[in-house]
Amino acid sequence: MKNIAIIMGGYSSEYKISLTSGNVVYETLDRSKYTPYRIHIFKDKWVHVNDEEEEFTIDKNDFSINVDAFKITFDCVFNAIHGSPGEDGFMQGYFELLNIPHTSCDMYQASLTFNKRDCLSVLKPYGIKTAKSFYINLGDTINEDAIIAKVGLPCFVKANKAGSSFGVSKVHKKEDLQNAIDVAFKEDDEIIIESFLDGVEVSVGVITFKGETKVLPITEIVSENDFFDYEAKYLGKSQEITPARLTKEQEEKVTKEAKKVYEVLKMKGFSRSEFIFKDGEPHLLEMNTVPGLTRASILPQQAAAANISLAELFENAIEEALK
């Protein structure tokens, strides 16, 4: 029996979604193989929460807990923290220093992929197509004309290091640009402004499964809102169609690109990359390395379409980490 710490929560706006993901993992893991522990990671406390909702403080020196005068250590950490500090490299670095296996990618990959503009910059020399972009740091002078000249209208204004569509706005008119920039800066001190790509949007899950890079069935995103925002993602304001309604050629192209991105970046564990087709070619928007794991989330839907159950998906992640 292996002790598995399921870390959830986090420091970002995504903490509620993370708690849901973590609880799904907790409920799903096979109790004949694993003893799972819910670990809440927040800025003011790191605690184990048992089934009676009692809290036990984590000893950060070795990531252990003391329950009824008995010290418990962990064989593996299942990372279900979306956003910081679970998706940006901090927890990965911590566990790597402690030599505790974990289900997510390594520290550098997490940090790189969480930074949208750095990740896209690294991938461009490998021929990965992306939208035109304009970068702004907090405190920079805002030149609206220069932004529009580079990316056009409509455009997307995004917090550079945030997930779940927090800090994202679609801007149709120049006079709305400053407000969108202000919204993005509430989430991060760096923002990325991208040209609007008008085409089919797809989400592609790529995982390491039984030692091999596996591209899961592709999901087409059809938002009822102006774009795939928080409401569309989590409040049912979208259709997520798996498998996506793509031509054979489109499917082959985006599958190849998603696998290439995963392997170029030397990824491990879960990933979900977002693409939009423009002129028949998939353009990468971003990669998520701790995607949602609720039953309604895209990656579990894709796994189900590949005849991989949630229990098998989660068990595989742990066994890959323990290799």
Side-chain angles (χ1 to χ4, degrees):
M1 291 286 283
K2 291 184 169 63
N3 289 340
I4 309 298
I6 305 164
I7 58 172
M8 59 188 89
Y11 304 164
S12 76
S13 304
E14 299 180 85
Y15 77 91
K16 288 182 180 176
I17 304 155
S18 170
L19 291 174
T20 304
S21 287
N23 278 303
V24 169
V25 177
Y26 179 72
E27 291 158 10
T28 304
L29 283 183
D30 184 347
R31 297 303 198 275
S32 70
K33 296 176 181 176
Y34 309 111
T35 305
Y37 293 82
R38 293 184 298 173
I39 309 294
H40 288 190
I41 304 287
F42 293 111
K43 281 183 177 173
D44 60 342
K45 62 181 179 182
W46 288 21
V47 293
H48 160 53
V49 182
N50 68 12
D51 289 339
E52 287 71 47
E53 300 301 318
E54 295 173 302
E55 296 185 353
F56 301 85
T57 301
I58 296 285
D59 183 345
K60 294 181 184 176
N61 293 300
D62 60 359
F63 199 69
S64 65
I65 52 176
N66 205 295
V67 179
D68 300 328
F70 185 73
K71 181 174 178 173
I72 296 169
T73 58
F74 300 102
D75 298 292
C76 183
V77 173
F78 195 109
N79 184 4
I81 297 178
H82 315 310
S84 188
E87 202 165 5
D88 55 6
F90 286 101
M91 297 305 293
Q92 288 85 348
Y94 170 71
F95 291 125
E96 283 158 28
L97 284 171
L98 291 177
N99 203 28
I100 300 174
H102 58 87
T103 58
S104 45
C105 59
D106 291 336
M107 178 182 76
Y108 172 73
Q109 282 75 8
S111 181
L112 176 65
T113 52
F114 197 67
N115 187 312
K116 295 181 183 75
R117 65 195 200 185
D118 286 3
C119 184
L120 296 174
S121 297
V122 165
L123 289 168
K124 275 181 184 176
Y126 291 92
I128 304 298
K129 295 176 177 62
T130 63
K132 292 176 185 170
S133 54
F134 193 103
Y135 306 146
I136 305 175
N137 293 331
L138 188 62
D140 287 354
T141 301
I142 308 298
N143 185 333
E144 294 179 352
D145 291 328
I147 293 167
I148 292 167
K150 177 79 181 286
V151 303
L153 286 172
C155 64
F156 280 100
V157 180
K158 303 177 179 180
N160 188 41
K161 301 187 294 291
S164 293
S165 299
F166 287 109
V168 180
S169 304
K170 186 176 180 182
V171 175
H172 295 269
K173 299 179 292 188
K174 178 181 172 180
E175 51 264 38
D176 296 333
L177 190 57
Q178 184 61 57
N179 182 62
I181 289 169
D182 293 341
V183 167
F185 275 136
K186 287 177 183 173
E187 293 290 331
D188 190 24
D189 60 3
E190 300 173 350
I191 66 174
I192 178 171
I193 303 175
E194 292 182 326
S195 59
F196 170 59
L197 300 176
D198 190 10
V200 176
E201 181 171 354
V202 295
S203 187
V204 190
V206 186
I207 62 175
T208 303
F209 190 74
K210 298 182 178 176
E212 302 287 333
T213 301
K214 183 175 182 64
V215 181
L216 297 172
I218 298 159
T219 299
E220 179 183 349
I221 308 297
V222 183
S223 177
E224 293 174 20
N225 294 352
D226 202 17
F227 65 99
F228 195 44
D229 59 6
Y230 182 89
E231 278 193 340
K233 253 177 204 174
Y234 298 108
L235 303 179
K237 300 281 188 174
S238 69
Q239 279 182 281
E240 295 160 5
I241 302 164
T242 310
R245 299 168 298 182
L246 301 176
T247 65
K248 190 70 178 167
E249 184 184 14
Q250 285 177 318
E251 184 183 339
E252 286 172 357
K253 280 183 178 178
V254 77
T255 296
K256 182 181 175 184
E257 291 294 271
K259 187 171 188 281
K260 182 178 179 180
V261 167
Y262 190 93
E263 292 180 340
V264 161
L265 295 178
K266 297 185 170 68
M267 283 294 301
K268 294 177 184 173
F270 299 125
S271 79
R272 204 191 69 231
S273 296
E274 317 301 329
F275 292 87
I276 288 182
F277 281 91
K278 181 176 184 291
D279 301 325
E281 298 295 329
H283 288 58
L284 178 68
L285 300 179
E286 64 177 357
M287 175 189 272
N288 301 286
T289 60
V290 187
L293 298 172
T294 70
R295 289 179 175 83
S297 295
I298 292 171
L299 192 88
Q301 288 181 40
Q302 295 174 338
N307 294 316
I308 300 169
S309 69
L310 270 184
E312 190 179 5
L313 184 70
F314 299 156
E315 180 177 328
N316 175 77
I318 292 168
E319 295 308 317
E320 286 292 331
L322 288 170
K323 282 182 177 177

